[in-house]
Amino acid sequence: MAVPARTCGASWPGPVRTARPWPGRGPRPFPDPRGPASGPARPLLLLLPPLLLLPLLTAPGASAYSFPQQHTMQYWARRLEQEIDGVMRIFGGVQQLREIYKDNRNLFEVQENEPQKLVEKVAGDIESLLDRKVQALKRLADAAENFQKSHRWQDNIKEEDIMYYDAKADAELDDPEGEDVERGSKTSTLRLDFMEDPNFKNKVNYSYTAVQIPTDIYKGSTVILNELNWTEALENVFIENRRQDPTLLWQVFGSATGVTRYYPATPWRAPKKIDLYDVRRRPWYIQGASSPKDMVIIVDVSGSVSGLTLKLMKTSVCEMLDTLSDDDYVNVASFNEKAQPVSCFTHLVQANVRNKKVFKEAVQGMVAKGTTGYKAGFEYAFDQLQNSNITRANCNKMIMMFTDGGEDRVQDVFEKYNWPNRTVRVFTFSVGQHNYDVTPLQWMACTNKGYYFEIPSIGAIRINTQEYLDVLGRPMVLAGKEAKQVQWTNVYEDALGLGLVVTGTLPVFNLTQDGPGEKKNQLILGVMGIDVALNDIKRLTPNYTLGANGYVFAIDLNGYVLLHPNLKPQTTNFREPVTLDFLDAELEDENKEEIRRSMIDGNKGHKQIRTLVKSLDERYIDEVIRNYTWVPIRSTNYSLGLVLPPYSTFYLQANLSDQILQVKLPISKLKDFEFLLPSSFESEGHVFIAPREYCKDLNASDNNTEFLKNFIELMEKVTPDSKQCNNFLLHNLILDTGITQQLVERVWRDQDLNTYSLLAVFAATDGGITRVFPNKAAEDWTENPEPFNASFYRRSLDNHGYVFKPPHQDSLLRPLELENDTVGVLVSTAVELSLGRRTLRPAVVGVKLDLEAWAEKFKVLASNRTHQDQPQKCGPSSHCEMDCEVNNEDLLCVLIDDGGFLVLSNQNHQWDQVGRFFSEVDANLMLALYNNSFYTRKESYDYQAACAPQPPGNLGAAPRGVFVPTIADFLNLAWWTSAAAWSLFQQLLYGLIYHSWFQADPAEAEGSPETRESSCVMKQTQYYFGSVNASYNAIIDCGNCSRLFHAQRLTNTNLLFVVAEKPLCSQCEAGRLLQKETHSDGPEQCELVQRPRYRRGPHICFDYNATEDTSDCGRGASFPPSLGVLVSLQLMLLLGLPPRPQPQVHSFASSRRL
């Protein structure tokens, strides 16, 4: 039974290139170690039945040692299991803690979580909270319509006639470059005092409103001044609303003119660069201003569209996409003689963040060539809108065409597809400076209920790509009260620093008439909004009664989460909503798809499922049982769900009434409170308390020692039944303080931890106590003091037996330091308590193993030693099996946990690699374990990650987005005399002032630091135990470098015991399994849109009204170059003065008369 010593040249006796005999098969030549010509060699993994391994290990002329037999390794595994179980029984104190709970049965009651009642109560509370905001919204919208109706338009109004607080005034006054220019124009701006308000996370003034006007809108225009005039009356309504409901946060009126008036007043968060904020592009405004949209954008890429004009078109399309929300559907195509999609999307797709990103990247690749063919473009667009075999908005239908001009009106196409009903609106955009006749473009828009716009230069892009919303708002205005329905938005980041919010929106209509008997005005005035912070909604949900792994979540009609413990965006861009799908917040499976669909449909339901969950530290996967219960939140588009593990059906509630009645003194005088005092730590162990909101006046701190100090100081003043404290949290904390102290007294204090090579013992409870013994061990305690946020705690509740947790190691960091012998491995297990027929898990106990000492112990337990004597030696004439102690130079023995991380090894040089993914330690062996189904892999995507900014890729090149004229252009006199030269100058001016307007990163433009992280997608890979639950011997067949290995799960633990021959060759190196997070573009969007997730759009749609007046459909408006303007702009540029904003020239300016 001996095995010869292996070398890279000859692994086994016999012919060098001949295989060992296989049962039932003839000799098989070994594969060439260099692999086939097509690529590198891959190890072939062959599972061998235990009985067939014997002939392989027997060879004539063998040396004294052989690879251990399977029964030997199973014996080692039993010894390991017994040692672990013995230590945990003695020191863990599971049984003793059960007895302690039963002995103190009079100090607590067992309460039941009834899922249906719980979820219905929380849904009702959320409904009531939102309903109060709805009433405030309606008061504001009604008041706004009445104020505007009674307002008298003033043609000669001046800036000094209007007094208001300009939210950006302070920032502009602080601008050293613009100080002299701006001070003279601020005579109408109020100067206010502000006070810090924790509810707003900001300094506010409750006596005034604030006004924000976009940078590219001239504040002194007649339209804006009249808007400021009549909206001033809203101030009193805002104030009255807050008086009736002091919990109201931001109340905002977003005007269709771009003016934002909000309450309470606070200075605008001025960016360090250009402020691109425009309320009309905010997610809440877009949702409130129009019904859902099906949009097809077609872009003329014929040969005449080149240079600056094509660049303007690309930017215009990107800006247009930013006006769409997740309720909308879109596709983008380019056309010349033929039409084709610019991206891989062949049909309308949801206008979500990821799809819009695909479009924006694809648009940049458009190239101008060929001749203009409007017919091809419009036929493609109509075919897209008529495709009924796909998911779409099924409300407003529109075509947006960007072109530099043409003569064809394609009337035959409109007659075929759109007339006489005209269900598709056509919007046309004349882009660039040219001398083409625009009459055909105007005709197309006017005969198809659309609008014609001109985009002669950069400055006109933003305003003219969002004005179409006014046209879509016409049917809403004409529908009157029927369209006055409050809608609740997706989650998004508040621009004023409130954090994640949802907003209730209500459109505000123009009720004026031009004269007696005239048609009703059909302009939307704007959108009224009231914010609700997610934290305020979370406060309505039960927290600590659901246990560490129970939670409440809510989703909207798109399946996006409103509430979820995994909704944690690392970075937010306030221009985009936070759209995390429920199936991305959790690990997706068929059961969850079914639950999601039922919730979107507004149904009630309950379902128990077996599913996979990711650990809190995202290193492990556990298969668990969860109970899902869900109900709709009435009067909203949201649905609420509750998730409970079976062991959280019941929970403990401390009943300290006897002690409280006896002690009418501060809580610090209660019996068990003394064990929270640091003076008791030396004898009773160190106590960490969960940083919960026990009392309103308790000062929070990230330092647990300081938090405990604050807590003790407050308890010196507070009585046990104080109204300012949460009695449930406070009493449970004190109860668990006493119970864990009794564990010290009964079990830990009399034991010698060093005898069993333990660094610490510990207990953590649902009540928020973590007690670590002895006190000195707390110095190296790195677990979260909140048990519900500690990975070991949550995993122990979900797993039976003993859960090992090695110290976390990043492969990029240096190895563990073992000099002070303080590196430990956590072993924990849940305490299951049965009281009558009620079972619960109120605590977790465990030990911390001394890594080096247990590594030595591991060698002994996996050896042929029978007593604590010297290792057995094999004589020269005898045959012996190798073991993990004597033969550690030839035999690798390791314990790996269920995530694939190294826990213990018999190789001293691997001790500093404990905690690393085993593929980083032995890639060949880890791949073998994976391929033999000892491990299963789960891949998922984190859509909330933050990544460092990428360095610009155009260093040394011309400024981004700048059109550079060719030599032919400079030599062409006609070019200089045309408007193109003016457009180029204007572009260069904008580029110098605004740092490349065309492709500026929105976060950068909004003033974020250069080094700010941006949102990105990360691919996560976790491994967990597969289907193999037995003992296996196997061989990694890799030519002359073949390796034998044995693997076996250790009962009642999360460990895999592996014994393998040490590799002597590197020829068998295969692809390394990766576990760490990697940057990713996410799943292929082009494939995902072919199987879209279930969703439902809003229940209301206003896309048609028979009384709509479509005569106002746009007209040409040009801004010809002026020598005087050119000279003045040039002088200002040379002097370093910012140009005074000019009124935007666009076709709606005359019609928006308020």
Side-chain angles (χ1 to χ4, degrees):
M1 290 194 52
V3 177
R6 291 181 301 136
T7 67
C8 285
S11 293
W12 303 93
V16 173
R17 303 299 303 160
T18 303
R20 299 181 292 276
W22 284 71
R25 299 172 63 180
R28 181 173 60 89
F30 275 109
D32 190 325
R34 295 169 298 177
S38 60
R42 284 181 62 91
L44 180 63
L45 298 148
L46 306 168
L47 280 176
L48 301 179
L51 294 177
L52 299 182
L53 194 62
L54 184 61
L56 278 171
L57 299 176
T58 306
S63 62
Y65 287 104
S66 63
F67 191 79
Q69 292 282 324
Q70 180 170 345
H71 66 81
T72 301
M73 292 180 283
Q74 289 175 338
Y75 169 66
W76 295 345
R78 285 194 298 272
R79 289 173 68 174
L80 288 167
E81 293 165 357
Q82 290 168 3
E83 184 71 14
I84 294 167
D85 185 65
V87 168
M88 288 299 291
R89 285 180 181 276
I90 296 171
F91 290 95
V94 173
Q95 185 57 41
Q96 293 91 332
L97 192 56
R98 288 196 191 107
E99 294 171 0
I100 292 170
Y101 273 110
K102 291 177 181 178
D103 291 345
N104 291 274
R105 184 65 182 82
N106 63 312
L107 297 181
F108 62 84
E109 298 172 355
V110 179
Q111 303 291 346
E112 182 177 1
N113 283 315
E114 300 180 69
Q116 194 64 39
K117 289 183 179 179
L118 266 177
V119 76
E120 287 178 354
K121 180 185 182 303
V122 175
D125 291 343
I126 295 175
E127 180 189 355
S128 299
L129 171 71
L130 299 183
D131 184 64
R132 293 196 298 272
K133 317 307 177 189
V134 168
Q135 299 310 313
L137 264 178
K138 290 180 177 178
R139 287 192 294 269
L140 281 168
D142 291 343
E145 290 172 350
N146 291 328
F147 291 152
Q148 191 275 334
K149 186 177 181 180
S150 60
H151 171 254
R152 186 173 180 179
W153 178 270
Q154 301 178 47
D155 285 319
N156 299 320
I157 194 169
K158 299 178 181 179
E159 282 190 79
E160 52 266 29
D161 298 334
I162 306 296
M163 294 296 294
Y164 67 98
Y165 173 65
D166 183 350
K168 297 197 292 186
D170 293 336
E172 290 172 351
L173 284 171
D174 291 339
D175 182 3
E177 296 181 359
E179 184 173 355
D180 295 336
V181 175
E182 296 293 340
R183 281 195 187 277
S185 63
K186 299 302 174 192
T187 55
S188 60
T189 298
L190 298 171
R191 303 302 297 269
L192 304 180
D193 295 323
F194 302 95
M195 60 181 294
E196 194 71 37
D197 189 315
N199 294 322
F200 288 89
K201 303 178 183 178
N202 222 325
K203 292 182 177 181
V204 299
N205 184 307
Y206 282 112
S207 300
Y208 293 91
T209 57
V211 171
Q212 190 273 351
I213 301 174
T215 303
D216 55 347
I217 291 181
Y218 177 43
K219 300 175 184 178
S221 72
T222 304
V223 172
I224 298 301
L225 292 177
N226 275 277
E227 188 86 0
L228 293 173
N229 194 15
W230 77 259
T231 58
E232 182 182 2
L234 289 172
E235 200 164 86
N236 292 330
V237 187
F238 286 140
I239 293 172
E240 175 60 20
N241 270 347
R242 181 176 179 272
R243 188 191 67 78
Q244 294 188 32
D245 182 3
T247 66
L248 282 176
L249 296 175
W250 300 122
Q251 303 175 64
V252 188
F253 174 60
S255 167
T257 62
V259 173
T260 305
R261 188 179 284 273
Y262 59 90
Y263 175 86
T266 190
W268 191 249
R269 291 198 162 193
K272 295 180 181 178
K273 296 187 178 180
I274 182 174
D275 179 16
L276 296 182
Y277 182 93
D278 188 321
V279 69
R280 295 166 295 184
R281 289 178 172 269
R282 299 293 284 138
W284 65 270
Y285 184 95
I286 293 171
Q287 182 170 326
S290 64
S291 294
K293 302 173 280 294
D294 286 323
M295 177 187 290
V296 179
I297 302 172
I298 55 176
V299 186
D300 180 0
V301 292
S302 59
S304 62
V305 179
S306 60
L308 178 60
T309 301
L310 182 59
K311 196 69 177 178
L312 288 171
M313 285 186 181
K314 292 177 179 179
T315 306
S316 298
V317 172
C318 293
E319 292 290 337
M320 179 68 71
L321 290 168
D322 283 340
T323 67
L324 302 178
S325 72
D326 290 79
D327 290 332
D328 304 321
Y329 282 73
V330 64
N331 202 356
V332 182
S334 61
F335 70 91
N336 37 43
E337 303 92 341
K338 296 181 180 180
Q340 59 183 5
V342 297
S343 69
C344 57
F345 301 144
T346 57
H347 55 74
L348 292 171
V349 296
Q350 187 181 17
N352 58 39
V353 174
R354 293 193 285 278
N355 287 341
K356 287 192 288 187
K357 181 182 178 183
V358 172
F359 281 127
K360 290 178 181 181
E361 291 174 352
V363 162
Q364 300 308 316
M366 293 190 305
V367 178
K369 60 182 178 180
T371 59
T372 304
Y374 286 160
K375 183 173 184 178
F378 277 107
E379 284 184 337
Y380 178 88
F382 280 114
D383 287 340
Q384 289 278 299
L385 293 171
Q386 289 183 353
N387 184 357
S388 59
N389 296 323
I390 57 169
T391 306
R392 58 185 190 178
N394 286 317
C395 193
N396 285 294
K397 299 177 181 63
M398 67 202 68
I399 298 171
M400 324 298 275
M401 182 179 74
F402 293 88
T403 180
D404 63 341
E407 299 298 328
D408 192 2
R409 299 191 177 199
V410 289
Q411 182 172 339
D412 56 328
V413 175
F414 298 132
E415 289 175 347
K416 176 181 178 182
Y417 289 96
N418 204 36
W419 295 354
N421 295 326
R422 292 173 170 79
T423 56
V424 177
R425 296 181 188 268
V426 175
F427 295 86
T428 55
F429 298 81
S430 176
V431 184
Q433 297 280 359
H434 53 75
N435 296 318
Y436 297 123
D437 179 14
V438 299
T439 305
L441 299 180
Q442 293 173 322
W443 180 88
M444 291 178 193
C446 294
T447 55
N448 291 281
K449 298 171 63 175
Y451 212 92
Y452 164 74
F453 299 94
E454 288 187 0
I455 302 178
S457 60
I458 302 165
I461 291 178
R462 283 169 62 84
I463 194 73
N464 285 316
T465 53
Q466 65 194 23
E467 289 283 7
Y468 78 94
L469 290 172
D470 282 349
V471 177
L472 300 188
R474 291 172 182 171
M476 292 179 64
V477 178
L478 296 171
K481 291 184 178 180
E482 185 184 352
K484 303 279 288 186
Q485 300 192 33
V486 174
Q487 296 187 68
W488 289 95
T489 67
N490 297 330
V491 177
Y492 69 96
E493 177 78 6
D494 173 50
L496 289 171
L498 201 58
L500 296 181
V501 299
V502 293
T503 298
T505 65
L506 195 60
V508 180
F509 301 150
N510 191 330
L511 303 182
T512 61
Q513 292 181 329
D514 292 334
E518 295 292 329
K519 288 185 177 180
K520 182 181 177 182
N521 196 306
Q522 52 186 17
L523 282 177
I524 186 169
L525 290 177
V527 177
M528 202 66 73
I530 289 183
D531 289 346
V532 178
L534 289 195
N535 286 335
D536 289 343
I537 300 178
K538 287 179 184 176
R539 290 190 187 99
L540 302 176
T541 64
N543 287 328
Y544 303 104
T545 59
L546 302 181
N549 291 315
Y551 57 92
V552 171
F553 71 98
I555 66 173
D556 64 14
L557 294 179
N558 281 301
Y560 299 146
V561 295
L562 163 73
L563 296 175
H564 199 285
N566 293 334
L567 179 63
K568 301 173 184 175
Q570 299 301 307
T571 180
T572 52
N573 171 8
F574 78 75
R575 288 170 55 127
E576 296 283 2
V578 178
T579 52
L580 178 66
D581 197 284
F582 169 64
L583 297 178
D584 294 323
E586 304 193 359
L587 292 177
E588 182 177 358
D589 59 37
E590 291 182 0
N591 286 317
K592 290 177 184 174
E593 287 181 17
E594 181 183 329
I595 291 168
R596 177 182 177 275
R597 176 183 286 264
S598 178
M599 294 179 72
I600 290 173
D601 286 340
N603 300 324
K604 293 182 179 181
H606 175 83
K607 189 178 183 69
Q608 184 177 88
I609 66 173
R610 182 175 290 276
T611 186
L612 299 178
V613 297
K614 211 178 289 185
S615 67
L616 198 64
D617 56 12
E618 298 183 330
R619 285 160 61 87
Y620 298 93
I621 296 286
D622 290 311
E623 187 176 8
V624 300
I625 295 175
R626 292 288 189 265
N627 293 305
Y628 282 74
T629 308
W630 60 95
V631 297
I633 303 175
R634 291 173 295 185
S635 304
T636 73
N637 291 331
Y638 303 134
S639 184
L640 187 76
L642 172 67
V643 181
L644 272 181
Y647 53 78
S648 291
T649 302
F650 300 97
Y651 64 93
L652 299 185
Q653 180 172 347
N655 179 14
L656 306 180
S657 56
D658 291 342
Q659 293 188 36
I660 291 171
L661 290 173
Q662 294 170 12
V663 184
K664 289 297 183 181
L665 296 171
I667 288 180
S668 59
K669 304 301 180 183
L670 286 177
K671 174 186 174 184
D672 292 327
F673 188 84
E674 62 182 287
F675 301 121
L676 278 176
L677 302 177
S679 58
S680 70
F681 289 177
E682 198 59 40
S683 61
E684 311 299 331
H686 192 101
V687 173
F688 297 92
I689 66 170
R692 300 174 181 175
E693 194 174 340
Y694 300 101
C695 299
K696 293 178 181 177
D697 294 337
L698 178 59
N699 294 325
S701 174
D702 292 333
N703 183 301
N704 199 259
T705 302
E706 184 178 341
F707 181 74
L708 179 59
K709 178 184 175 184
N710 297 341
F711 177 81
I712 292 171
E713 289 176 354
L714 184 63
M715 295 303 104
E716 295 286 350
K717 309 169 188 175
V718 175
T719 58
D721 54 353
S722 172
K723 300 298 182 184
Q724 68 152 304
C725 294
N726 183 323
N727 286 336
F728 173 80
L729 294 182
L730 196 54
H731 295 176
N732 274 30
L733 181 79
I734 295 170
L735 170 71
D736 287 353
T737 301
I739 284 178
T740 55
Q741 186 276 333
Q742 291 181 47
L743 184 64
V744 177
E745 192 174 305
R746 296 190 189 185
V747 182
W748 296 345
R749 191 181 294 154
D750 297 330
Q751 298 290 348
D752 183 6
L753 302 186
N754 293 327
T755 303
Y756 289 85
S757 306
L758 303 182
L759 297 175
V761 287
F762 61 89
T765 70
D766 279 358
I769 290 292
T770 302
R771 190 179 292 274
V772 180
F773 186 88
N775 183 39
K776 65 178 182 179
E779 297 174 6
D780 301 311
W781 186 259
T782 58
E783 303 303 319
N784 197 308
E786 169 56 81
F788 285 14
N789 291 336
S791 184
F792 82 88
Y793 192 86
R794 294 171 66 159
R795 292 203 71 216
S796 297
L797 295 175
D798 273 333
N799 290 275
H800 292 284
Y802 308 124
V803 177
F804 281 69
K805 179 180 178 288
H808 177 70
Q809 275 210 79
D810 192 303
S811 60
L812 301 178
L813 301 179
R814 64 181 183 179
L816 291 172
E817 300 287 348
L818 295 174
E819 296 176 3
N820 299 323
D821 294 337
T822 56
V823 176
V825 175
L826 240 58
V827 188
S828 56
T829 187
V831 177
E832 188 162 283
L833 189 61
S834 294
L835 300 169
R837 296 184 177 180
R838 296 168 295 185
T839 302
L840 61 159
R841 297 176 185 173
V844 168
V845 296
V847 301
K848 192 174 185 180
L849 309 180
D850 184 321
L851 176 59
E852 278 199 77
W854 271 79
E856 292 293 346
K857 183 178 292 190
F858 170 58
K859 292 182 188 178
V860 174
L861 293 170
S863 73
N864 295 322
R865 280 204 212 188
T866 54
H867 302 288
Q868 292 293 331
D869 51 10
Q870 292 298 318
Q872 289 187 356
K873 299 291 185 181
C874 190
S877 60
S878 59
H879 296 291
C880 305
E881 294 180 70
M882 290 190 288
D883 69 30
C884 300
E885 182 182 24
V886 175
N887 309 100
N888 60 354
E889 293 184 2
D890 300 305
L891 203 62
L892 171 67
C893 304
V894 291
L895 290 178
I896 313 172
D897 71 15
D898 55 330
F901 298 97
L902 179 62
V903 176
L904 288 175
S905 171
N906 73 329
Q907 306 297 310
N908 293 21
H909 69 276
Q910 291 181 353
W911 290 355
D912 62 357
Q913 298 184 68
V914 165
R916 287 194 173 175
F917 186 58
F918 191 60
S919 187
E920 299 169 13
V921 181
D922 191 328
N924 187 249
L925 183 53
M926 184 63 195
L927 183 62
L929 295 171
Y930 172 70
N931 285 344
N932 279 282
S933 299
F934 286 102
Y935 285 96
T936 299
R937 178 166 57 194
K938 181 68 177 179
E939 295 179 341
S940 59
Y941 294 94
D942 177 8
Y943 294 100
Q944 305 178 89
C947 298
Q950 296 294 320
N954 58 343
L955 295 176
R960 290 178 297 166
V962 174
F963 164 58
V964 181
T966 64
I967 296 297
D969 288 328
F970 280 113
L971 296 177
N972 186 346
L973 182 62
W975 184 86
W976 282 101
T977 57
S978 73
W982 156 247
S983 183
L984 174 61
F985 175 79
Q986 191 182 18
Q987 177 186 340
L988 290 172
L989 182 63
Y990 270 100
L992 288 171
I993 296 174
Y994 293 158
H995 304 283
S996 186
W997 177 290
F998 276 125
Q999 295 180 0
D1001 181 4
E1004 185 179 300
E1006 296 296 349
S1008 303
E1010 296 289 348
T1011 57
R1012 178 179 177 179
E1013 294 181 324
S1014 59
S1015 61
C1016 60
V1017 180
M1018 299 294 286
K1019 184 177 181 181
Q1020 294 184 338
T1021 305
Q1022 286 91 11
Y1023 292 80
Y1024 60 102
F1025 281 154
S1027 56
V1028 175
N1029 197 24
S1031 176
Y1032 273 90
N1033 289 313
I1035 184 171
I1036 307 172
D1037 192 353
C1038 191
N1040 292 336
C1041 293
S1042 298
R1043 297 173 67 187
L1044 288 166
F1045 76 90
H1046 166 92
Q1048 178 175 343
R1049 294 263 294 273
L1050 295 189
T1051 305
N1052 210 34
T1053 74
N1054 66 325
L1055 297 179
L1056 181 70
F1057 175 43
V1058 182
V1059 179
E1061 293 178 301
K1062 291 182 68 174
L1064 297 180
C1065 306
S1066 59
Q1067 297 156 295
C1068 205
E1069 283 297 322
R1072 176 175 294 185
L1073 297 177
L1074 295 178
Q1075 188 274 336
K1076 64 179 181 180
E1077 264 191 341
T1078 56
H1079 187 274
S1080 171
D1081 292 328
E1084 180 56 53
Q1085 287 296 116
C1086 303
E1087 297 177 4
L1088 288 182
V1089 297
Q1090 302 303 323
R1091 49 182 192 282
R1093 286 170 172 167
Y1094 181 72
R1095 67 173 295 277
R1096 290 181 64 184
H1099 303 301
I1100 56 175
C1101 173
F1102 298 96
D1103 62 340
Y1104 173 79
N1105 191 290
T1107 64
E1108 180 184 345
D1109 180 7
T1110 61
S1111 60
D1112 182 11
C1113 55
R1115 61 184 182 279
S1118 61
F1119 188 17
S1122 162
L1123 181 60
V1125 174
L1126 282 171
V1127 172
S1128 62
L1129 287 172
Q1130 182 65 40
L1131 286 174
M1132 282 188 289
L1133 182 62
L1134 293 173
L1135 293 173
L1137 301 178
R1140 182 183 179 85
Q1142 298 297 315
Q1144 288 299 314
V1145 180
H1146 58 90
S1147 50
F1148 262 32
S1150 60
S1151 64
R1152 184 161 294 291
R1153 188 179 169 104
L1154 306 179

